[in-house]
């Protein structure tokens, strides 16, 4: 996302200058949010000591990678300098030439890499650089670099999408009041971040209860458009998605996928005739595998409580994002986790906090579920 966050996890042995430059590269990498998929986001900084002489990032799928962009920015000043890059430079000829070749030709003396590339087609850059006599250090801010491209890393060895569950809740943990009144719990800044989150995922998913209550559009608005608009996925066991809903009416403009156990019924066929892609699935594992086969590598699930509980019960949530508003809804309100699995206090999982941020009067916290 374009909103800046402070990376964590630099090895203690790294110099202050190394840490500062790698964190600058991580900030640059995020500028590719929503534009680089299926490629990872990558940032690069070239420096002589504390002085930065070149910057670059992978701005768009099919465009130059971060390293050649930074080298072009540095020009002859790259000779004898250190290159800081958030992902191991690639070794293969794809839409662009191998980055290792460009680095070797530039006269760069040292390369600092946050994390290795797990893609066997592109990996091996560390060995190629060292064979060319270039000093290479690996692992600086590795945790932050892997978190930045968690979807990319996950897609290489999983048959299902990376699942991020997003819930906006009151301070007493509710997603709606007792009357299910329409409206926003969170403020403008938090809602903008939600649209930024949408722009960085292949799909946005909700349960049928949310559709019936809110008739959402689930598109990206009020932020820069992603390279490919995310698909809209509706988890609807009984195929109740209204034919006149905003989702169905716009299905030929931005794809809508209906995941249902009644894929061959009359109503499902009617939805298909309107341009809705119908997927037959009766459990989460089958549903998510089918979505992956449609090219969906990541999905942002925005509720409601039933779908959230079901995905948590089946262990298919990778990140949980909570937007907490300073609102108290009280008795009868719909609890965000009313359908989630229960735990005794001494066996309840203690989740790792990935990030915390204030957004006006609201708070956003990202948790790692595994």
């Amino acid at each position: 996302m374009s909103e800046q966050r402070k990376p964590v996890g630099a090895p203690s042995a790294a110099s202050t200058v190394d840490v500062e430059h790698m964190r600058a590269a991580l900030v640059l990498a995020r500028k590719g949010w929503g534009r680089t998929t299926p490629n990872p986001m990558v940032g690069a900084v070239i420096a002589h000591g504390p002085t930065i002489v070149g910057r670059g990032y992978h701005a768009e799928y099919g465009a130059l990678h971060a390293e050649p962009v930074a080298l072009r920015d540095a020009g002859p000043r790259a000779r004898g300098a250190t290159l800081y890059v958030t992902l191991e430079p690639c070794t293969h000829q794809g839409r662009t030439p191998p980055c290792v070749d460009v680095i070797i030709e530039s006269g760069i003396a040292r390369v600092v890499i946050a994390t290795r590339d797990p893609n066997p087609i592109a990996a091996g850059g560390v060995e190629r650089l060292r064979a060319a006599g270039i000093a290479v250090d690996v692992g600086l801010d590795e945790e932050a670099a892997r978190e930045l491209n968690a979807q990319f890393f996950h897609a290489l060895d999983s048959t299902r999408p990376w699942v991020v569950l997003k819930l906006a809740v009151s301070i007493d943990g509710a997603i709606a009041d007792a009357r299910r009144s329409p409206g926003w719990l969170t403020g403008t800044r938090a809602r903008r971040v939600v649209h930024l989150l949408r722009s960085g995922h292949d799909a946005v998913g909700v349960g049928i209860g949310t559709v019936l209550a809110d008739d959402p559009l689930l598109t990206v608005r009020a932020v820069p458009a992603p390279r490919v608009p995310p698909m809209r996925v509706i988890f609807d066991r009984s195929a109740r998605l209204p034919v006149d809903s905003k989702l169905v009416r716009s299905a030929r403009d931005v794809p809508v996928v209906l995941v249902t156990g009644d894929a061959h019924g009359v109503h499902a066929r009617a939805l298909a005739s309107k341009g809705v892609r119908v997927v037959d699935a009766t459990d989460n594992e089958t549903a998510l595998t089918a979505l992956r086969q449609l090219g969906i590598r990541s999905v942002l699930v925005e509720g409601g409580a039933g779908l959230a509980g079901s995905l948590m019960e089946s262990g298919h949530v990778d990140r949980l994002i909570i937007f907490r508003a300073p609102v108290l809804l009280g008795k009868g309100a719909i609890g965000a986790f009313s359908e989630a699995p229960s735990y005794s206090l001494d066996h309840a999982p203690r989740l790792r906090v990935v990030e915390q941020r204030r957004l006006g009067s609201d708070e956003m916290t990202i948790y790692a579920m595994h």
Side-chain angles (χ1 to χ4, degrees):
M1 294 186 295
S2 60
E3 300 235 346
Q4 294 187 4
R5 294 169 289 182
K6 184 179 179 181
V8 297
S12 58
S15 72
T16 301
V17 169
D18 285 344
V19 171
E20 290 177 353
H21 290 334
M22 184 59 78
R23 291 185 174 179
L26 285 163
V27 170
L28 285 168
R30 292 189 187 95
K31 291 180 177 289
W33 181 265
R35 307 300 303 177
T36 67
T37 185
N39 285 352
M41 294 172 283
V42 182
V45 164
I46 298 172
H48 286 279
T51 304
I52 294 177
V53 297
R55 297 175 175 86
Y57 67 96
H58 185 36
E60 184 98 8
Y61 177 69
L64 284 176
H65 291 183
E67 300 95 311
V69 174
L71 288 166
R72 185 172 58 187
D73 186 39
R77 296 173 296 176
R79 185 162 296 278
T82 298
L83 167 67
Y84 299 84
V85 63
T86 58
L87 185 69
E88 180 181 21
C90 67
T91 58
H92 75 300
Q93 173 71 50
R95 289 175 174 261
T96 58
C99 290
V100 289
D101 293 346
V102 181
I103 295 168
I104 292 169
E105 292 168 4
S106 71
I108 285 285
R110 176 179 175 235
V111 178
V112 181
I113 299 167
T115 187
R116 297 289 296 251
D117 191 334
N119 186 347
I121 296 174
V126 169
E127 290 75 21
R128 285 276 305 278
L129 293 169
R130 285 175 175 162
I134 297 173
V136 180
D137 296 311
V138 182
L140 177 59
D141 259 331
E142 181 170 14
E143 182 181 339
R146 292 185 66 87
E147 185 66 32
L148 173 68
N149 284 305
Q151 302 170 19
F152 168 76
F153 285 98
H154 182 266
L156 289 171
D157 60 5
S158 178
T159 58
R160 67 166 178 86
W162 176 258
V163 177
V164 177
L165 173 62
K166 186 277 299 182
L167 296 169
V169 304
S170 62
I171 57 176
D172 51 340
I175 58 173
D177 64 24
R179 294 182 295 175
R180 195 60 160 89
S181 304
W184 301 101
L185 273 173
T186 54
T188 303
R189 287 182 61 185
R191 296 200 299 272
R192 182 179 183 277
V193 170
V194 171
H195 282 274
L196 281 172
L197 287 169
R198 289 180 180 179
S199 73
H201 289 80
D202 294 331
V204 178
V206 295
I208 185 59
T210 298
V211 175
L212 296 177
D214 302 334
D215 192 21
L217 196 55
L218 301 180
T219 53
V220 176
R221 304 182 296 279
V223 299
R227 186 178 68 87
V228 179
M231 298 184 192
R232 284 88 53 82
V233 178
I234 314 306
F235 293 85
D236 180 8
R237 186 170 301 168
S238 303
R240 294 182 291 156
L241 178 63
V243 174
D244 61 350
S245 64
K246 292 177 183 176
L247 287 161
V248 176
R249 295 202 307 268
S250 61
R252 298 193 189 279
D253 300 319
V254 180
V256 173
V257 180
L258 177 72
V259 179
T260 181
D262 189 22
H264 305 292
V266 174
H267 188 62
R269 293 199 299 269
L271 291 169
S273 72
K274 299 291 184 180
V276 175
R277 180 74 174 264
V278 179
V279 170
D280 187 10
T282 56
D283 60 80
N284 291 335
E285 184 68 31
T286 303
L288 292 171
T289 300
L291 294 180
R292 183 70 177 86
Q293 291 170 351
L294 292 178
I296 296 174
R297 308 197 320 168
S298 64
V299 56
L300 176 69
V301 176
E302 299 192 12
L307 177 58
S310 174
L311 289 169
M312 293 179 74
E313 180 79 48
S314 61
H316 288 115
V317 177
D318 299 295
R319 293 291 182 270
L320 172 64
I321 304 182
I322 298 294
F323 290 85
R324 190 176 300 278
V327 175
L328 182 66
L329 295 180
K331 184 178 180 180
I334 300 173
F337 300 102
S338 58
E339 302 297 324
S342 61
Y343 299 94
S344 62
L345 182 59
D346 55 345
H347 289 95
R350 189 166 295 276
L351 306 182
R352 176 172 64 88
V353 175
V354 175
E355 180 189 345
Q356 289 181 304
R357 211 190 313 176
R358 289 200 64 84
L359 300 166
S361 60
D362 303 315
E363 297 177 350
M364 182 189 81
T365 306
I366 302 178
Y367 300 94
M369 294 296 291
H370 307 297

